[in-house]
C-alpha cells in the first residue's frame, strides 16, 4: 500500500501531518466553498446546507449525493466514500450527515467516519 501524500498546502504546514485531520479538513473545505454554477456537477463547492429545509429529506439526499461525488473527485485519500443521512432526535437538526470510507495509512487500510454539523462542516 502506498503511503498517503499530503496536498501542497498541507506540506507547507509546520505541524506534523495527520491523515485523519487532513481528510476531514478537505471535506470541510468542499462543504464550505460555495457554488458559482449549480449545474456543474464537478465544480468544487456545495450549496449552503443551511438554506435547505431540515424537513426536506429529498433535498438533503441530493446534497449528500453531490458531496459524495465531490469527495470522490477532490479527496482521493478517502477510499470508497459514502455520505449518509442519519436520523436524530433533535427537532432543529433531524438529520446528520455521516461521511465514511477507508484510509490507507501506509501500514494498513482503516475505516474512517465522522459527521458534519449543518452549519457548514464545523
Amino acid at each position: 500500500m502506498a503511503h498517503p501524500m499530503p496536498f501542497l498546502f498541507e506540506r507547507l504546514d509546520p505541524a506534523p501531518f495527520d491523515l485523519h485531520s487532513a481528510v476531514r479538513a478537505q471535506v470541510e473545505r468542499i462543504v464550505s466553498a460555495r457554488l458559482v454554477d449549480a449545474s456543474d456537477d464537478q465544480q468544487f463547492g456545495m450549496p449552503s446546507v443551511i438554506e435547505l429545509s431540515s424537513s426536506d429529506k429529498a433535498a438533503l439526499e441530493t446534497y449528500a449525493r453531490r458531496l459524495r461525488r465531490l469527495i470522490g473527485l477532490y479527496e482521493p485519500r478517502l477510499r470508497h466514500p459514502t455520505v449518509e443521512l442519519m436520523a436524530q432526535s433533535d427537532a432543529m437538526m433531524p438529520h446528520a450527515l455521516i461521511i465514511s470510507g477507508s484510509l490507507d495509512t501506509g501500514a494498513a487500510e482503516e475505516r474512517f467516519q465522522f459527521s458534519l454539523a449543518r452549519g457548514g462542516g464545523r
Side-chain angles (χ1 to χ4, degrees), residues 4 34 47-48 53-54 63 65 74 92 100:
R34 292 295 158 247
S48 175
S53 169
S54 61
Y63 182 94
R65 282 192 301 274
Y74 295 108
M92 296 298 291
S100 60

Side-chain angles (χ1 to χ4, degrees), residues 69-87:
R69 188 171 49 256
L70 293 181
I71 291 169
L73 287 170
Y74 295 108
E75 184 42 275
R77 299 170 296 188
L78 184 60
R79 296 181 176 175
H80 315 291
T82 62
V83 179
E84 299 174 277
L85 293 176
M86 179 178 284

